[in-house]
Structure formats: C-alpha cells, structure tokens
Amino acid sequence: MSLDRVREHPAPLAAARRRRLRADQALQLADLLRRQVLAGGFDRDGGVLPHEDTLRAAYRVSRNTVRQALDLLRAEQLVERQPGLGTIVVARKYSHGLDRLQGLAETLREHGRVTNEVRTVGPVPAPACVADRLRLAGGDGAQVLYVERLRRLNGLPLSLDLTYIPMDIGIELLGADLENNDVFRLLEEITGCRLGTAQITLEAVNADAHSAAVLQAPRSAAVLMVERLTHLSDGRPVDLEFIHFRGDRISMSGVLHRAA
C-alpha cells in the first residue's frame, strides 16, 4: 500500500493495529495462565481462576484481552465458565518428561495407572523406511514385529502407539503380556541388555480418521506425534515407534543444557 493510501485511511489501519496488539496480548496471557493451570497453580483456590478484573489489573491488560485469553483456554478444554463460580479448571495435561529414556507407565506413574489395549500384534514385512531405520539385514521386506496399542491413563485414551521391532527379538514378544508391561522393560529382559539412547522427533499433526476414532478425539484435531528410535546400550536399534498423543492431555517437558 502506498503512503498516500495510508494517509487516506489512517483510522482503519489504526484499528487493525489495535486488534492485532490485543490478539498478541491475549495469546501471551493465555500462555501464562496455561502454565499455571498445568502446574496446579490454581489448586489452592479450588481450581478457580481469579476474577477477570483481578487478571486485568495483575497483567495490566484490557478486559477484552482477558476474555480473549480465557476463550483460548476454553477452546483447549482446560477451563470452562460456570455461573456463580467463575472460570474453573476442568482438565490438566499430564507432564511427560524428556530427561530420561522411560516407558510411558514409568514416566507417568505419579499421575495414575497406564493400561494398554493391544489392538494388533504380529509379523509384517518391514516398509523400506522401517528396515532402514532398524538396519535390518535384507532391507525392505524383512520381517518385523508390528504392535499397535491404545494407551490409557486412568481410563482415558492418551496415545496410539505403532511399534516396529526386529523379528529376532519380536518373536519373544509374541507370547509376552503386552497389556500389563512396557515394551522397554520386556526388551531389556529378552535381550539381557540395557537400553541406551533414543533419537526423538516431536511434531504436531492433524489426527487422521483412524487415530481420531481410537483416541476418541475430533477428526483433524491437533495430535502430538512422537517418532522415537531406541537403541540398546551396544548401539543396536531395536524399537521404532510412532506415538500419537492427544494434544489436550499431554505436555512435554525437560531440562536443556547449553553446550560449552
């Protein structure tokens, strides 16, 4: 837009800038409030957030900004408005640590009980990308054990895990109790070797029809997809997983150290 056009329409441009600023402030406030919700910061008040006027004064923003921020948290189903009570916390995300290599039950044990519904288990020909990542002899078409599990935390669907394991190890898992055990622990028992390291990739994706149905989430809802390739302590890759977490029920956290 030319400077002449800008001078001709100063009021609409100023209004647009104000709306953008308010939206930016609402996002910032939502981030701060979300952190407190997830950390249990409002538990001592019975899970009730401060009144809108209190938030407005504390964060030095407008009433509209406060309402927009609360609308964002409502859309995430973290809070809801209840007449006579105000804005209350209705859900919390479970913190999944990234500091240690652990199975889901180990990671979330302080939050409750993880159960596994084994939906599929059996040998399949390895797709080329799986064979490459697991360094399988014979490459594309080599047999791997494929396991699909729905993981629940306290009865609520949390993740859909798709796992590929080399068949020389996977054959031992066919008779194992996959419903009540983490695969990590079983791998260490079978191989007699500790797990060592894992390469991990996190990204947000839209739930496909299958994932949405299994996780009881709206189709195309945001899902946190974790790709993890786990190695034994001797360096052999033994477990390739694609884990689809419900984004409204999990958060990832860890401690990062700056390299010298």
Side-chain angles (χ1 to χ4, degrees):
M1 181 180 291
S2 69
L3 289 177
D4 289 339
R5 294 290 300 278
V6 170
R7 294 188 188 100
E8 290 172 6
H9 304 285
L13 288 174
R17 282 196 293 269
R18 285 195 298 272
R19 287 194 298 271
R20 186 170 62 249
L21 176 61
R22 189 163 56 242
D24 290 344
Q25 290 177 333
L27 182 60
Q28 293 166 15
L29 179 56
D31 288 342
L32 295 172
L33 294 176
R34 184 188 300 105
R35 181 66 264 161
Q36 294 180 70
V37 168
L38 300 182
F42 300 116
D43 288 356
R44 60 181 176 272
D45 300 318
V48 180
L49 273 67
H51 190 273
E52 290 180 3
D53 287 340
T54 303
L55 292 173
R56 179 178 59 79
Y59 292 97
R60 300 180 182 179
V61 294
S62 70
R63 182 172 283 103
N64 283 340
T65 296
V66 171
R67 289 175 178 172
Q68 288 180 24
L70 295 177
D71 285 342
L72 291 172
L73 298 184
R74 275 195 289 271
E76 297 175 28
Q77 299 181 347
L78 290 178
V79 303
E80 68 178 30
R81 180 80 175 172
Q82 287 196 358
L85 288 178
T87 301
I88 66 170
V89 176
V90 294
R92 292 179 178 85
K93 295 185 179 183
Y94 299 103
S95 178
H96 187 301
L98 294 176
D99 300 303
R100 299 179 63 188
L101 180 57
Q102 295 181 310
L104 191 66
E106 295 173 310
T107 303
L108 300 179
R109 62 181 177 271
E110 66 183 72
H111 298 298
R113 181 168 178 260
V114 173
T115 56
N116 308 313
E117 177 188 325
V118 180
R119 298 175 55 82
T120 303
V121 58
V124 298
C129 61
V130 172
D132 180 64
R133 299 293 302 283
L134 290 174
R135 288 186 267 167
L136 300 179
D140 187 8
Q143 292 284 296
V144 291
L145 182 71
Y146 173 70
V147 183
E148 178 178 317
R149 293 169 297 160
L150 170 62
R151 321 292 300 277
R152 291 188 176 91
L153 179 60
N154 299 324
L156 294 176
L158 181 64
S159 71
L160 177 64
D161 296 14
L162 314 180
T163 304
Y164 299 89
I165 298 170
M167 203 59 213
D168 63 310
I169 298 173
I171 192 70
E172 301 291 335
L173 287 173
L174 284 173
D177 183 4
L178 295 172
E179 292 191 352
N180 297 298
N181 291 285
D182 271 337
V183 168
F184 278 4
R185 188 174 69 80
L186 295 173
L187 288 174
E188 290 182 326
E189 289 180 358
I190 291 169
T191 63
C193 185
R194 296 282 293 175
L195 296 176
T197 61
Q199 298 162 272
I200 188 169
T201 302
L202 308 176
E203 61 179 311
V205 300
N206 292 329
D208 58 31
H210 176 62
S211 298
V214 173
L215 292 172
Q216 299 176 20
R219 187 169 181 178
S220 296
V223 171
L224 181 62
M225 203 279 282
V226 177
E227 178 185 334
R228 182 172 62 194
L229 177 62
T230 303
H231 303 74
L232 294 176
S233 57
D234 63 8
R236 181 189 176 185
V238 292
D239 182 302
L240 176 61
E241 294 177 278
F242 298 89
I243 308 170
H244 299 77
F245 283 104
R246 279 192 54 149
D248 58 342
R249 292 183 180 160
I250 199 78
S251 66
M252 297 288 178
S253 60
V255 177
L256 303 178
H257 299 275
R258 184 171 175 83

